[in-house]
Amino acid sequence: MKNCKIIILLFLMALPNLLSAQEKITTDNWLSSPGIIGTFILIAIVMIVAIIILFVKLNGYIDTMKRRQLDKNRMAFDDELVAMDGADIDAILEKRKAALKYKLKGDELSGGHAAIDEKGLIQRVEKDPNNAFFDEKKKTSLSLETPQELKKIVIYYIGAAAFWLVLGTLIGQYLGMKFLWPEMDYQSWLSFGRLRPVHTNMVFWGWSSLAMIGLGYFVIARTSNNNIYNYNWAWYAWRLINATVLLGSLCLMAGINNGGGEYREYIWPVMLLFAIGLVITFYNFYKTVATRKISEIYISNWFILASLIWTIVLTIIGYLPFYQDGLGETVIQGYYMHQGVGMWFMTFTLGLVYYYLPSALNKPIYSYSLGVLAFWTQMLFYTMIGTHHFVFSPLPWWLQTIAIVFSAGMVIPVVAGTTNFLMTMKGSWSHISKSYVLPFFLVGTIFYFVGSMQGSVQAFRFTNFVWHFTDFNVAHSHMTMYGIIAFFMWASIYAILPKLTGREPSQVFVGAHFWLAFIGLFAYMMSLMAGGTYKGLSWIDGEPFIESVILMKPYWVWRAVGGSLMFVSHLVFAYNFYYMVKGYAKKPSATQKVEEITV
C-alpha cells in the first residue's frame, strides 16, 4: 500500500510535465497546420488587393484614352464645320440653341409626390452643390498656414531620412547579391556579418525614425493648434540622430559592436546619442501638446507620445549592463527586438495615419472609439509578445506560452485599426484612379492586417518550429517594416509635402515608385517565404545542413530581383522628394500664426 502511494505521488508530480510535453513534430500533413493555412489566406489577400488596384488603374488609363479620342473627334467636327456653308451652320446652331434652353421640370423621375425611402436605401442627401460626393485633390491654404520654421523641420527630417533610405538599401542590395556571389569581395569591413547590421540599423534609426519624427512634428503642431514648443530642440535632435547613424555605421564596419543583440548592435556611447535625441523630441512634443490651444488631445498624439515614452524606456533597458548575462539577456533581446518594431515604429506610424489618412481624404476618421480601442489593446498585448522569438528555447515554458497567447491577442488592435482605416477610405475609392496617395495608404493598411496576423500565426508552436531561424523571418520583417511602415510613410509624405511646398510630383514617377516597391516587395517576400518553408522542413527531416543551403539558391535569385526593384523605387522616391522641395524657400510666404488656424 505504501508503494502504491509513492507511485501515485510520483505520477501526480510528473503529470504537469506529461501534459505539457510536445508530440514529436514531423513534416507529415504540414500543409494542414492552421498557421500554414492562415498564411496562405493572408498572402492571397495581398494578391487580390494588388489585382484590384491594377484593374482600377488600367480602367482609369482606358478612360483617359477614351477622352482623348473624344477630343480628337471634336476637333474633326470643328474642321468639318469650317468646310460647311453658312446655311448648314445656322441650322446646327439653332438646334444647339434649342437644346441649351431646354430645362427639366423636376418631376421626371419622382413625380409630384413626396419622396419616401421605405427600404432604407438612401444613406446620404446632399443639398450643397459645392460639396462633391467624391473628394477631389484641391489646392489648399495649408502652406500659408504653416510656419516656415516648421516647414523646414519637416523637409529636413524627411530629406535626411530619404538619404539614409537610399544608402541603407544600397547596402542591403549589395548583401542580397552576396548570397549569389559570395566571392564578390575579400574586405573584412564589407563582410556580411558587419554590413548586415549596418543595413538594418541604418533603415531603422535613419530612414524610419527620422521620417516618422519629421512627419510627427507637423501632426503635433496641427492637431494641437499650436506652435512647436522649441524649434531649436528639433534641430538638436536631428543632429543627434544623424550622428548616431553615421558613427554607429562606421563602428559596425570597423568591427566595434554590441555583440549579438539584433537591432542593438550599436555600442552604448553611440546609442546614448539616439536616446538623448528621443528625450528631447518627447519633451518638445509633450510641451507642444500640453500648451495646446484646444481642449481635446487628438488620438494621433496618444500614439506618438506613447511610442516615444516606450522607446526611451526600451533603449535604457536594452543597454543596462546587469541585463546582459545568461538567459536574462535572451528575454531582454526578445523584448527589445519586438518592442522596437511594435512600440516605436508601429505605434508612431499608426499615430501618423490617424492624421494623414483622413486629412488626405478631407474627412474625419471613421471611429474615434475604434482608435481608442486599438490604442489600449496595442499597449496591453504588444508588450508581452517578444518571447515568441524563443519558443523551444531554455526559457520557461510558461513565459513562451504567454508570448503566444498575447500574440493571438494582437488580433484585437489589428482588426480595430484596419477596420477604422478601411471605413475611413470608404466613399473615396475614386482616389485610386486619380492619385497614388490612397493606393499607398491602402497597401499599407492591407499589409498592416496581413503582416500582423501572419506574425500572430507564426507564433504558434508548429509554425515557429518550421520557420524560425530560416529566411522566412527575413520575409516577415520586410512585410512589416517595409510593407507597413515604409508604405504608410510614403503615403503621408506624398499627402503633405505638395501642400507645404506647392509642387506636385509627376504621377508617372509616383506610380513608378509605387509599382516598383510593391512588385519588388512581393517578389522578395514570396521567394523567401517559400524557400524558408522548404529550408525548415529540410531541417526537420534531418537532412544535411548544406542541402538547405543549396535548395535556397533559386529563391535567393528572386530575393535579389525583388530587392533590385525595391532599390530602384527608392531612387525614384528620392527624385520625387527633390522635385517637391526644390526651390520652395524662394517662394514668397504669407505665413499666418498657427493660433489663427481652425483645425
Side-chain angles (χ1 to χ4, degrees):
M1 186 71 179
K2 184 177 180 180
N3 292 335
C4 290
K5 289 182 178 179
I6 293 174
I7 292 173
I8 293 173
L9 181 62
L10 290 173
F11 174 77
L12 291 175
M13 292 174 64
L15 183 60
N17 292 328
L18 292 172
L19 292 175
S20 62
Q22 295 291 298
E23 297 181 2
K24 179 177 175 59
I25 297 178
T26 66
T27 58
D28 298 336
N29 300 322
W30 66 274
L31 282 172
S32 62
S33 167
I36 302 292
I37 295 172
T39 299
F40 283 143
I41 294 173
L42 293 171
I43 292 172
I45 292 174
V46 177
M47 294 180 66
I48 291 170
V49 171
I51 293 171
I52 291 174
I53 294 176
L54 181 61
F55 175 78
V56 172
K57 284 291 181 182
L58 287 175
N59 191 52
Y61 177 75
I62 293 172
D63 288 342
T64 301
M65 297 300 294
K66 287 181 178 178
R67 285 196 297 271
R68 289 179 180 175
Q69 186 61 42
L70 288 174
D71 292 338
K72 289 181 179 178
N73 294 339
R74 201 171 290 115
M75 291 178 64
F77 178 69
D78 293 341
D79 294 338
E80 185 179 348
L81 281 177
V82 172
M84 288 182 178
D85 57 29
D88 293 335
I89 295 176
D90 290 340
I92 293 175
L93 290 176
E94 285 296 329
K95 290 181 180 179
R96 179 62 177 162
K97 186 177 180 180
L100 290 173
K101 287 183 176 181
Y102 178 78
K103 292 183 179 180
L104 295 173
K105 297 178 181 179
D107 59 355
E108 283 79 5
L109 297 178
S110 61
H113 303 287
I116 300 177
D117 183 24
E118 296 179 347
K119 298 185 179 297
L121 299 177
I122 299 176
Q123 294 184 350
R124 173 182 175 187
V125 177
E126 182 58 66
K127 298 181 179 179
D128 183 4
N130 295 320
N131 189 358
F133 284 99
F134 295 102
D135 303 304
E136 303 289 345
K137 200 166 189 177
K138 299 177 181 178
K139 298 292 183 182
T140 69
S141 59
L142 189 60
S143 179
L144 299 178
E145 298 168 351
T146 306
Q148 195 68 20
E149 299 94 330
L150 180 55
K151 283 187 192 179
K152 191 174 180 181
I153 286 172
V154 173
I155 290 171
Y156 271 77
Y157 267 88
I158 296 175
F163 170 79
W164 293 121
L165 173 67
V166 172
L167 182 58
T169 50
L170 173 63
I171 295 171
Q173 174 67 9
Y174 182 75
L175 293 171
M177 307 297 278
K178 286 174 78 77
F179 277 92
L180 304 177
W181 300 287
E183 69 284 355
M184 286 176 66
D185 63 74
Y186 299 95
Q187 301 296 324
S188 58
W189 59 276
L190 292 176
S191 62
F192 185 89
R194 294 192 186 182
L195 283 185
R196 197 266 178 176
V198 172
H199 161 69
T200 55
N201 285 276
M202 192 173 288
V203 295
F204 267 42
W205 316 124
W207 149 244
S208 299
S209 298
L210 283 170
M212 290 190 315
I213 294 173
L215 292 166
Y217 265 108
F218 183 85
V219 174
I220 289 289
R222 188 76 177 170
T223 57
S224 300
N225 198 18
N226 198 4
N227 284 312
I228 294 298
Y229 181 72
N230 192 313
Y231 289 109
N232 289 330
W233 289 0
W235 291 113
Y236 293 148
W238 184 86
R239 295 184 185 98
L240 285 169
I241 295 174
N242 280 288
T244 298
V245 180
L246 177 61
L247 295 175
S249 300
L250 293 175
C251 287
L252 289 177
M253 287 190 287
I256 304 170
N257 57 68
N258 191 44
E262 191 170 19
Y263 309 142
R264 56 174 176 160
E265 291 90 351
Y266 288 169
I267 57 177
W268 72 263
V270 172
M271 203 60 184
L272 180 61
L273 301 177
F274 184 81
I276 295 173
L278 285 188
V279 171
I280 293 173
T281 302
F282 168 74
Y283 191 71
N284 213 4
F285 282 7
Y286 167 74
K287 292 295 289 185
T288 303
V289 175
T291 58
R292 65 192 181 278
K293 301 299 188 294
I294 55 178
S295 59
E296 294 186 355
I297 300 177
Y298 185 59
I299 188 68
S300 289
N301 299 337
W302 291 32
F303 280 90
I304 291 172
L305 292 176
S307 69
L308 283 162
I309 293 173
W310 275 109
T311 310
I312 292 168
V313 174
L314 175 67
T315 307
I316 295 171
I317 291 178
Y319 281 84
L320 287 176
F322 45 81
Y323 281 139
Q324 309 306 315
D325 296 319
L327 288 178
E329 182 185 17
T330 303
V331 175
I332 292 301
Q333 174 57 31
Y335 174 78
Y336 179 92
M337 182 167 48
H338 226 95
Q339 291 287 93
V341 174
M343 302 307 292
W344 174 230
F345 298 110
M346 192 68 72
T347 302
F348 200 119
T349 301
L350 290 175
L352 298 177
V353 176
Y354 272 99
Y355 173 80
Y356 285 109
L357 175 60
S359 173
L361 298 177
N362 195 27
K363 60 169 66 172
I365 195 71
Y366 172 71
S367 172
Y368 203 88
S369 298
L370 273 179
V372 174
L373 173 65
F375 174 81
W376 287 112
T377 50
Q378 174 105 350
M379 297 299 106
L380 171 65
F381 290 111
Y382 222 123
T383 56
M384 296 294 291
I385 65 179
T387 317
H388 74 205
H389 287 272
F390 301 103
V391 176
F392 301 112
S393 72
L395 295 181
W397 192 258
W398 63 266
L399 186 60
Q400 301 175 35
T401 303
I402 287 176
I404 296 171
V405 172
F406 274 68
S407 298
M410 278 300 297
V411 171
I412 299 174
V414 170
V415 171
T418 303
T419 303
N420 220 357
F421 298 154
L422 290 178
M423 293 304 292
T424 302
M425 297 179 200
K426 183 182 178 182
S428 296
W429 298 114
S430 59
H431 274 271
I432 292 181
S433 62
K434 297 175 183 177
S435 170
Y436 273 101
V437 172
L438 185 59
F440 273 109
F441 274 123
L442 179 59
V443 169
T445 301
I446 296 302
F447 270 116
Y448 173 54
F449 176 78
V450 170
S452 300
M453 296 293 285
Q454 191 274 316
S456 295
V457 300
Q458 190 175 341
F460 298 162
R461 284 197 166 91
F462 177 79
T463 48
N464 199 292
F465 191 77
V466 174
W467 287 330
H468 200 41
F469 299 120
T470 71
D471 295 68
F472 194 100
N473 286 321
V474 181
H476 173 70
S477 63
H478 282 75
M479 183 193 300
T480 52
M481 281 301 299
Y482 196 90
I484 304 173
I485 307 301
F487 270 82
F488 272 150
M489 219 90 70
W490 287 325
S492 302
I493 291 170
Y494 285 127
I496 192 61
L497 268 191
K499 295 179 180 178
L500 293 182
T501 65
R503 291 180 61 87
E504 290 276 355
S506 168
Q507 283 297 298
V508 174
F509 284 108
V510 179
H513 173 201
F514 175 84
W515 288 111
L516 286 169
F518 183 82
I519 296 173
L521 172 62
F522 196 78
Y524 188 102
M525 72 179 197
M526 289 300 296
S527 60
L528 292 188
M529 281 182 170
T533 302
Y534 285 126
K535 178 185 279 189
L537 295 174
S538 172
W539 292 348
I540 293 174
D541 287 339
E543 296 177 357
F545 180 79
I546 191 63
E547 292 296 328
S548 66
V549 177
I550 295 172
L551 70 84
M552 281 300 301
K553 185 174 181 180
Y555 302 103
W556 284 335
V557 171
W558 281 105
R559 168 194 175 130
V561 171
S564 299
L565 295 175
M566 293 155 70
F567 176 66
V568 173
S569 79
H570 304 159
L571 295 178
V572 178
F573 164 68
Y575 171 78
N576 289 338
F577 170 78
Y578 170 75
Y579 182 85
M580 286 186 286
V581 303
K582 182 179 64 174
Y584 84 98
K586 298 178 182 178
K587 297 183 177 181
S589 175
T591 305
Q592 301 172 353
K593 291 182 179 180
V594 183
E595 288 85 354
E596 299 174 359
I597 306 171
T598 301
V599 178

